[in-house]
Amino acid sequence: MASFKLSIILLSLSLLHILSGVYSTTFTILNKCSYTVWPGILSGAGTPQLSTTGFALQPDESSTLDVPTSWSGRFWGRTRCAQDPTGKFSCVTGDCGSSTIECAGGGAAPPVTLAEFTLNGAGGLDFYDVSLVDGYNLAMTVVPQGGTGGNCRSTGCVADLNGACPTALKVMSGGEGGESVACKSACEAFGDPQYCCSGDYATPATCKPSSYSELFKAACPRAYSYAYDDGTSTFTCASADYVITFCPSPSASVKSANGEFPSALEVSAGTREASASFIGCFLAVMAVMAAAWTLAGH
């Protein structure tokens, strides 16, 4: 009986350990745009797909996601989305080709602003960045909350690059006379290896910033502007949660600790609760622990 009791207790401790690692990081996605944004999510190779891969966020609405330990992937915002008479869902920018609101493993069609993460990487640090390598469609910031170590700072692109986009890179909506809704990368616009860092330009020594990438970098100094823009664009943090904000408004928002980007701490009534599976696991662990406590004679 004593060995049985000990086994139950060890099982309880093991389940608690597993539970603590199932959801290690919380992401809050906040839409401060004046229009609906449909976030898209793509998990990296070898990491689990999250509970959702796409949904709608109304203006000032937020959503929270619990993300597993050692997850990697990317977030982005889709705009001007609609469903046609046949039920096919598509977006003018950031479309993931799934024909549904859920991206279901589909990546973002450029041009699109990307927030990229590798959690619990080298040295136990999270690595994250906001990238304009695939172009730009939305202003976006990433703000770590409660993290330590590394270069644990806010990053992103708060500028509206659609209006300032060079004519050769602009994506127009509504044809001639329409408005600029996205800004292509030079690689996508021209396909030249020197802009794409491919072929003879596939190394940091041969692929240098172009006049186009320098425009992105001047407007958004902490965002990736081309493939080898690592030094000023990759950030690290340990044990942090993250707030991803679309269309941040620095003049109207609480500032982050470094005073440069909005912290976006406010969470609207639209915030989603923790997943039911997480709550179920927690209740199961508590039940096992209670049984172990009873068997131990308490």
Side-chain angles (χ1 to χ4, degrees), residues 141-145 153-155 241-245 256 261-264:
T141 56
V142 172
V143 180
Q145 302 286 325
R153 305 175 71 186
S154 304
T155 186
D241 295 321
Y242 296 93
V243 177
I244 299 171
T245 304
S256 65
F261 292 114
S263 61

Side-chain angles (χ1 to χ4, degrees), residues 45-71:
T47 62
Q49 186 166 284
L50 302 187
S51 58
T52 181
T53 58
F55 51 92
L57 277 183
Q58 302 300 323
D60 288 320
E61 188 178 13
S62 65
S63 179
T64 58
L65 294 172
D66 295 311
V67 177
T69 186
S70 300
W71 180 84

Side-chain angles (χ1 to χ4, degrees), residues 131 133 195-198 201 207 213 224-230:
S131 174
V133 174
Y195 295 135
C196 299
C197 294
S198 59
Y201 299 89
C207 192
S213 71
Y224 261 90
S225 59
Y226 78 108
Y228 294 113
D229 192 14
D230 304 77

Side-chain angles (χ1 to χ4, degrees), residues 59-155:
D60 288 320
E61 188 178 13
S62 65
S63 179
T64 58
L65 294 172
D66 295 311
V67 177
T69 186
S70 300
W71 180 84
S72 67
R74 49 181 50 178
F75 297 81
W76 67 96
R78 295 169 288 172
T79 67
R80 298 173 180 257
C81 302
Q83 204 167 39
D84 71 14
T86 69
K88 180 181 178 181
F89 180 85
S90 62
C91 303
V92 173
T93 76
D95 191 69
C96 52
S98 66
S99 298
T100 65
I101 293 179
E102 293 275 348
C103 284
V112 67
T113 313
L114 296 170
E116 303 174 312
F117 293 85
T118 297
L119 303 181
N120 195 27
L125 294 172
D126 300 338
F127 291 75
Y128 58 97
D129 66 80
V130 170
S131 174
L132 307 181
V133 174
D134 288 338
Y136 169 99
N137 71 328
L138 282 174
M140 178 194 294
T141 56
V142 172
V143 180
Q145 302 286 325
T148 60
N151 187 15
C152 195
R153 305 175 71 186
S154 304
T155 186

